[in-house]
Every structure is written in C-alpha cells, then in structure tokens.
Amino acid sequence: MALFGTKKAVLTAATAALALALSACGGSGGDSPKPADNPSFAAGTTMEKLSKAGSIKIGTKFDQPLFGQKGLDGKPVGFDVEIGKALAAKLGIGADKIEWVETVSANREAFIEQGRVDIVVATYTINDKRKEKVAFAGPYYEAGQALLVNKDNDTITKPEDVKGKKVCSVTGSTPATTIVEEYGAVLVPAAKYSDCLEPLRNKQVEAITTDNVILAGFVDKEPDAFKLASDQTFTKEPYGIGLKKDDTEFRNWINDQLEAFEKDGTYKKAWEDTAGKVIKTAPSLPAIDRY
Ligand code: GLU
C-alpha cells in the first residue's frame, strides 16, 4: 500500500508538472484585465443587469487557434477571448466569472436571440443579413477570406482555381457562401473549421476556405502539412461583437469600450498576447460603425 501511495504521489506530481508546462506553452493570454471596482450603470440597462449579476455568458469559438481555442485547462484562449475578458472587466466581472459558451458559425444568431449568450466574440463578420437578427458592436478587427491547401499543392493559388473543386468550409459562414456563389466551388460542409483538417490531409477536399487569420492559426500548428494558397485575401470580413438586436445602449457602450481599449493599450496587449505571436502585422482598431 505504501508503495502504491508513493507511486501515486509521484504520478500526481508529474501530472501537475506536465499541466503547468502545457499551460505555459499554450499561452494563457497574459494577465487578465483587472475588473472595475463597483462600476455604476443607468438603471435597467444590460450593463447594470450583468454588472449586478456579477457574471456574463460569452459565446466564442473553441477550435480556432489564435482567436478562440479551448485549452487543456478547459478555458478558451485567443484574441476574441481577450476582448471578451476586457469587456467583462469593465462591467466589474472577473475572468473567473465568465461562462464561455461554444458558438459555432451556424448557431451564433440563434444563441444571441435565445439569450443563451449575452455577447458573441467569435470571428463574427458584420453583415446586413445577420443584422436582421442581431446587432453588432465594432468592428474590432478586419480579416479577409483566404484558402488553405496541402503543403505540396501548387495548383491552387487564387479563388478562381477552385471552380468545380471540392472545398471544405463551415455551414453558416460567409466564406462558405462566397466560395460557392462567386467562385463555383463544390462545398463540402462541416460544423467547425477543425473538422475540415482531416478531409484536406486525406485529399478528400482540395482546399479549406475561411478567414486568413483562422487559417494562419492552423498553418502555425502544422507548418509541414498545410500552407496558405496565397497571402492575398479576396473578401473583407470585419469582425463585430454580436448582441441582442434592439439593445442600442449596450451596443453603444461596447463601442465606447473598444475605443477606450485602443487608447489605453488593452487592445494592443490583447493582440500581442495572442494572435500577435504568430501574425506579425499588428492591427489598429478599425473605425467603429455606429449605425
Ligand atoms: N468571419 C466569417 C463568418 O463570420 C468566417 C469565420 C467564422 O465562420 O467564424 O462567417
């Protein structure tokens, strides 16, 4: 028994050390912003409600390196996650009081409409069709559509090259629509981008398409397997923070915070701690669209 106990102790220590090492290389996203002390908000606003409740539900991606990826400790990390944490902090909510909800491309509008999340920060392109159902603060970043191919593929270098070819993308995403409607690809749909990686590796599809920064995260993980077809992008994907359609006060407030993050260095730090480790062109906050 004593021996068993010792072995177990050694194992536990080893597991703990491993977890520590893994969390160190996974990148925690740096220190979380300090929550505001007793911030006050006008009665009846969403800000007041969330601040009083002391918690917030944030929808994000769980499978996208650099922007939103769930770590081994069960917590997501990435640029979107840092933006979410910074907004929560302004409401007086610490990172430990955020409930992270996985939103995939197809369920973001529904999750907002149903109140399953308070906001969505999830590589979420602002567009008019989506604005029929939800509102967007931002943009806080501008990505663009690109193509990911196997490292040995030299035949696809531009979107025109995928005409009639099988391309994997995600249901409910803007790139899935664009690649079919504008470039005549045959869409192989998936629920999440990470589900496209094996079909590409096995050559069941010839390319994966979505935003350049999402694809850059996959190349960073497997540089020997995949590459971007080109450095060029062929759409504009301005990322917004999704919220309930009619909540103009909350939308204005989030927009004010984004502008404040640009001024006080929060935006820069959020980038440098996450996507900036791989993507060398640091963004500045795009002009906020206060529609
Ligand atoms: N930004 C695009 C979109 O919102 C693609 C990325 C994604 O699916 O999250 O549809």
Side-chain angles (χ1 to χ4, degrees):
M1 273 320 270
L3 186 67
F4 177 70
T6 314
K7 261 194 189 162
K8 193 174 162 191
V10 169
L11 230 124
T12 310
T15 314
L18 184 72
L20 206 78
L22 289 172
S23 73
C25 70
S28 66
D31 314 322
S32 297
K34 210 176 137 323
D37 266 338
N38 285 318
S40 80
F41 298 102
T45 59
T46 301
M47 295 80 84
E48 190 214 25
K49 193 192 89 196
L50 292 170
S51 176
K52 274 197 173 153
S55 65
I56 184 169
K57 291 180 292 224
I58 305 182
T60 197
K61 298 296 185 83
F62 279 3
D63 70 319
Q64 295 178 189
L66 311 184
F67 275 68
Q69 186 176 40
K70 203 165 181 174
L72 289 156
D73 60 358
K75 296 193 181 107
V77 293
F79 185 56
D80 282 342
V81 172
E82 289 308 305
I83 295 288
K85 282 183 193 166
L87 288 170
K90 291 285 185 185
L91 295 164
I93 301 168
D96 55 330
K97 291 290 185 302
I98 299 172
E99 186 191 326
W100 297 103
V101 177
E102 181 177 29
T103 47
V104 296
S105 303
N107 68 19
R108 292 174 291 198
E109 288 88 90
F111 273 33
I112 293 168
E113 288 178 304
Q114 295 160 8
R116 290 167 72 158
V117 293
D118 298 300
I119 55 172
V120 164
V121 195
T123 60
Y124 197 8
T125 296
I126 303 171
N127 65 32
D128 289 344
K129 190 161 170 255
R130 290 173 177 167
K131 276 189 196 165
E132 288 168 13
K133 294 183 174 169
V134 300
F136 288 100
Y140 63 93
Y141 186 76
E142 190 175 283
Q145 187 170 352
L147 290 159
L148 183 81
V149 293
N150 283 316
K151 192 84 189 268
D152 61 4
N153 181 328
D154 290 321
T155 57
I156 297 173
T157 57
K158 52 187 186 308
E160 288 78 9
D161 295 336
V162 299
K163 192 167 182 201
K165 293 188 174 153
K166 286 187 181 165
V167 176
C168 189
S169 193
V170 164
T171 307
S173 73
T174 49
T177 308
T178 302
I179 210 69
V180 173
E181 292 184 358
E182 300 193 19
Y183 296 101
V186 178
L187 181 70
V188 175
K192 322 175 194 188
Y193 296 105
S194 53
D195 293 341
C196 288
L197 296 173
E198 289 318 302
L200 178 62
R201 205 192 309 274
N202 300 333
K203 307 204 165 147
Q204 291 162 318
V205 299
E206 298 208 37
I208 300 174
T209 191
T210 186
D211 302 338
N212 56 344
V213 290
I214 300 173
L215 299 176
F218 292 133
V219 174
D220 179 56
K221 296 261 159 185
E222 294 190 77
D224 296 331
F226 307 125
K227 66 179 181 189
L228 284 170
S230 147
D231 290 340
Q232 306 286 314
T233 55
F234 48 94
T235 64
K236 283 188 170 32
E237 308 289 334
Y239 288 175
I241 292 161
L243 67 148
K244 280 240 165 80
K245 190 181 172 191
D246 297 324
D247 201 345
T248 309
E249 277 166 324
F250 193 30
R251 177 156 60 87
N252 287 339
W253 180 83
I254 296 176
N255 281 332
D256 293 344
Q257 306 319 304
L258 291 174
E259 285 176 343
F261 295 159
E262 169 81 339
K263 290 202 184 81
D264 70 10
T266 303
Y267 181 83
K268 186 167 181 275
K269 182 173 173 1
W271 178 263
E272 283 171 358
D273 286 346
T274 58
K277 293 194 168 149
V278 171
I279 301 164
K280 293 301 165 201
T281 342
S284 49
L285 185 74
I288 296 294
D289 178 14
R290 291 181 184 265
Y291 64 90

